[in-house]
Structure formats: structure tokens, C-alpha cells
Amino acid sequence: MEESLWRATVFLCCVWAASLLYGEMVAYWVPSLWTCSWPHQLMTPHTRMADGVPSLGGHMKVAIIADPQLMDKTSHGLAPKSVALEIAQFYTDLYMRRAFLASVLPFKPHLIIFLGDYFDGGPYLLDEEWQESLTRFKHIFDLNHRGRRADIPVYYIPGNHDIGYTALHTYNTKVISRYEKEFGLRNHHFSVGKVKFIAVDAQTLDGLKHESLTYKTWDFVKNMSMDDTTIPRVLLSHIPLYRPDWTPCGLHRASPIINQRVSQAVHDQGITYQNYLTEETSNRLLDLIKPVLVLSGHDHDQCTVTHKAQHGSVIEHTIGTYSWQQGNLYPSFMLLSASNLANVTKSEDTVSTQLCFLPMQTHIYIWYLSLFVFTMLVLLLWPMHGLGFLHQQNRMFRCIMRAIGSKATKDGNKEKDEDETCEYEMVWDVEGTMHIIKKVVKNAGFKHSSEAGLVGRGAAAVRPTAKKSISLKSEVSTSSEMNTDHLRSDDSRQSLKRGGKHKADTLGKRFLRSLKSLMVIAAVNVPLYMMLLSKDWIEL
């Protein structure tokens, strides 16, 4: 391998290694190191205790994740157990695990809240398939009892991809019991510092009033309304509250606004789909719970709106999906600081939030593809003789310029030494002696045969007696030229064949040389890539 190509190969190896290290590891450190922080860090730095847990600045730290929605046989129409589905599942799960271990946990939250949609086809999975998805979910978020994060409390609320809507509940109540057995009650509440979090099953709020699940949810909401209203409250709902069509969602929104959509089953059997709660349900929730903040998911994109309620304005944060496979190029999570102080009166001091964005996985893969194309172009188009051809071209150019200059000088000083166009005539004197006289002719060319009986060839005049001899010589000359042209044609064909063979040999050599360089790059970076994959996926 030429020295210049070897240097290019080493350079490409380094570029690939740096790209892999950033795309597979460093990119996940960015939120905790540079782009995101707890919203209370600029407040008082005194450390207090909350139920035995240290809290910086009198605040409890909460990490909030929405819509991980693990892929399964219902995702993207991929066949169950197919290679395409297995690969998609692996890389989606790996992304979320890396994001959790390297982006969320470094913030050291005191507890974690999930806002629903843990599986993609949860209500439609068989028990065995559902358990398989549950195992993946626990592995991704390190929730096994023997895991390193077992000391961090985790709270859940159900999503429509976990238990479905009310139309499904009428003929398949099994999905409810299966969910509650693993994740707990659908409607519940818990306290974080001096703030109460109220989680409701939003999928049943707009159901038929006589339905048991709908009645239980509203009964829970009424009971919460009768508790001490002086304690700040945060409402957790998987489905966002009602908002008028085309309501702006703030600067963090990446996709177009989706307006209100509610689909009812036939024969009044409940809701089959809704992207927002109805206006009546939303107003009733706000009036009964009187929250200082509403947190929701379901929309897969970020949205911040302000609701007008009887007790004042309420901000709702809809958090985007945590997965890069769910239609959002900018996955995210939220950091929430809940006050641990009893004398806080302002809601903005009670609860503060910070939206954090995860690495853009799609852009990372686009960079890998672009780098591969660039690598192949460099290796295939690299000069056969290295960069030394530039010096050879410079020397050749200088030689050509000197030759042109020398020729111009010679032509300028050259004297005309060519014979002028003339005719020769035989003349006899009185003594009978023959003399040949040279006559200059101003207009060059051949004379007609009628002029003095001469036949012209070249620059001299000959007599008719020489005509036959000249004709024979011309025929011999023409035949010789034809033979020469035929030989030249054969040589040209042979030259074309040799040229084509040379090009094929050159292309073959370029391909083999590029393949060798590519193998060197792969030998360095494939083990590095596999090491990064196993490091993050294998549970130690």
C-alpha cells in the first residue's frame, strides 16, 4: 500500500472511531453535562432532608418519562419474529437504555414517573408476548429488583397502548387486571416533598357514565377534591386536556398541530380513539383537582399550553416520546423540582420544570451513512501513484513551457530558405548546345496540358514524354499509402484493445486496493462498535 494511501486510511480510521465514540456514547452525556440542569439549582443551596432523602435547596428531584412504547409485532407492520423486527427492537431498546443510563440517571433523581404507553400493542398481546415486552421494559430502565437503581421509587399511570380505550374494556377486561398486577392501581396519588401528585386513568374519563371503570375513576377524582386543597397538586394524565383547534404549542414543538379527534364505537359501546380529553371532562377535572400543573403524554411531541380554570391559570406540559422510533426526531424527558418547604405560596416556586432533549438518533445514522459514502469515494478515487503525481505534472508543465518558448524564438529568427515556385525550359543556342533556364512563376499551381505541351508535378515542369512514368509512380505511391493506412488501422485496433485491458486492470487494482483499506478500517472500528453495543446492553 502506498504511503499516501496508508496515511489516508489511518485518517479515515480515526474519523470513524471518533464518530462511533460520539454517536454511541458521548452524545448521551450531553444533556447532563451541557444542555440540561435541574430548574431549582439557582435557588438556595441549603441542603434539607425529606423523609430521610437529601434534597438540594429544599427541593425533591423528579425525572418524568413519557411514551417509550416498546416495539412489538403490532409495530410498523413487521412480521412477528422477523429479522427486521428483531433488529428494530434491539436498536430502539438500546437507544432508550443508553438514554436512561447516561442521560437521566446522572441527574440522580429522587424518583421517576412514567406517563403511560409502555408497550406499543399492549392490549393486543398474548400473555407470553406481554411478559416478554415487560422483561424488555424492566431491562431498559434497570427496574429489576437486583438492579443498581432499586432504591429509586418509580410511579406509573396507564396509557391507551397499555389498556386501550373504553370500547375495548367492554369485551376484554383482562387487560386491566394484567396491567394493575404489574404496575399498580390505575388511579392513585403520592406525595413528593410538599406537593401531591394525582394520577388518573384518562382512558376511562370520557367513557359511558354507567360503565364500572368510568365510575371508579370519577369517584376517585371526587375523593381527591375533598382533601386539603392548601397542598399544591400536580395532575398526571396520559391524554392531554382539551385545547381549541390550532392552539400554539410553544417553541419546542417539532411537528404540526393535531386538532381534536374523538372516535366512538358503534352502538354506543365507548371510545375507540381520542387524542385529547373532551372540553367538558377537562374543565371538570381542573375544577375538582385544582392543580398548579398538569403533565401529560400521548401526543409524542412537546407542547405547552395554558388553561383557564375557576381557580386561575394552569400550565400543562405535554412531554414528547422517549423513543426515536415513535415519529419524533427529538425525543425528550423532563426534570421537575418539587418544593419541600411548607411556607411556599407561589405555584411557580412550588413546582418548576425543565425539558431535556435526548440525542437525535436518526441524524447519527445519517452521519454514519454519509461517512461511509465519503470513505468509499476517497478510497476508490485516490491516485494510483499517490500524491506524487502532482510533482510530476508540475515538472511536465515546466518542460512544455520551455519547449514552446524555444520554438517561438527559433521561428522568429528563421530566414526563408524554401525555393520559390518555378518552371524549367530547355533552350538551344546557335551552336546547338542545350541550356535549362529556370523561370519564376508568380501564381503557383499546375499548368494545363495545352500550355507548351508540359505536364506539371510539384514545383517543376516536365515534358509529355515523362507523363507515363509519373503516372506509374503515382499509382505505386497511392498503393503504398493504402497499405500503410491498413497497417495503421490494425495498429489502432490493437491499441484500443490494449487500452481497454489497461483500464480494466486499473479498475481491478483500484478495487482491490480500496478493499484492503476498507478491511483495515473495519478491523479497527467493528470491534470498537461491538464493544460499545455490549457495554450498554449487557447488564453487569
Side-chain angles (χ1 to χ4, degrees), residues 167-185:
L168 177 66
H169 302 157
T170 58
Y171 65 88
N172 188 2
T173 58
K174 179 182 178 180
V175 296
I176 300 293
S177 59
R178 186 169 65 180
Y179 171 86
E180 291 188 331
K181 180 180 178 181
E182 185 59 43
F183 295 101
L185 296 174

Side-chain angles (χ1 to χ4, degrees), residues 283-296:
N283 292 334
R284 189 179 177 190
L285 269 179
L286 293 174
D287 294 339
L288 291 174
I289 300 297
K290 296 180 175 61
V292 297
L293 178 69
V294 178
L295 297 177
S296 58

Side-chain angles (χ1 to χ4, degrees), residues 221-454:
V221 172
K222 291 175 183 178
N223 291 333
M224 288 293 100
S225 67
M226 290 184 276
D227 286 350
D228 186 3
T229 57
T230 60
I231 299 176
R233 299 175 175 184
V234 174
L235 175 62
L236 304 178
S237 170
H238 175 71
I239 302 177
L241 303 187
Y242 172 81
R243 62 197 65 166
D245 289 353
W246 310 114
T247 299
C249 275
L251 299 176
H252 296 304
R253 182 79 178 188
S255 61
I257 302 299
I258 300 176
N259 293 326
Q260 180 83 3
R261 290 188 301 176
V262 179
S263 301
Q264 299 279 348
V266 295
H267 306 304
D268 199 23
Q269 292 181 343
I271 292 176
T272 58
Y273 178 79
Q274 64 181 142
N275 56 349
Y276 302 125
L277 297 177
T278 61
E279 185 175 10
E280 179 185 358
T281 297
S282 301
N283 292 334
R284 189 179 177 190
L285 269 179
L286 293 174
D287 294 339
L288 291 174
I289 300 297
K290 296 180 175 61
V292 297
L293 178 69
V294 178
L295 297 177
S296 58
H298 187 56
D299 196 23
H300 289 200
D301 203 348
Q302 297 72 228
C303 186
T304 300
V305 297
T306 301
H307 301 285
K308 300 296 183 181
Q310 292 181 356
H311 65 287
S313 298
V314 181
I315 294 177
E316 178 184 3
H317 290 300
T318 299
I319 303 171
T321 177
Y322 190 76
S323 171
W324 68 280
Q325 278 280 5
Q326 296 301 324
N328 190 345
L329 295 177
Y330 309 95
S332 61
F333 65 99
M334 178 168 280
L335 298 178
L336 181 146
S337 298
S339 176
N340 195 37
L341 304 177
N343 57 352
V344 178
T345 58
K346 295 181 179 180
S347 60
E348 58 268 23
D349 295 334
T350 303
V351 179
S352 51
T353 60
Q354 173 68 53
L355 185 65
C356 303
F357 289 95
L358 296 171
M360 294 172 286
Q361 185 66 69
T362 306
H363 294 188
I364 292 174
Y365 287 155
I366 291 175
W367 168 250
Y368 289 164
L369 179 61
S370 302
L371 184 57
F372 177 77
V373 173
F374 174 77
T375 300
M376 293 304 300
L377 290 176
V378 169
L379 296 179
L380 289 173
L381 300 179
W382 195 263
M384 290 297 293
H385 301 289
L387 296 179
F389 80 102
L390 295 176
H391 304 293
Q392 296 176 3
Q393 286 187 350
N394 289 336
R395 288 198 298 270
M396 186 181 298
F397 179 74
R398 289 195 295 268
C399 291
I400 292 174
M401 292 304 295
R402 283 199 299 268
I404 293 175
S406 175
K407 187 176 185 303
T409 303
K410 182 178 179 181
D411 290 343
N413 299 330
K414 183 175 65 173
E415 294 181 359
K416 186 175 181 181
D417 55 357
E418 296 178 353
D419 291 339
E420 296 173 328
T421 304
C422 59
E423 288 183 356
Y424 297 90
E425 184 178 358
M426 291 181 291
V427 179
W428 284 263
D429 57 14
V430 293
E431 296 178 353
T433 304
M434 183 184 68
H435 300 276
I436 297 177
I437 300 174
K438 178 181 179 181
K439 293 184 177 181
V440 178
V441 181
K442 292 183 180 180
N443 294 325
F446 293 106
K447 295 291 184 180
H448 294 286
S449 58
S450 59
E451 296 180 5
L454 300 176

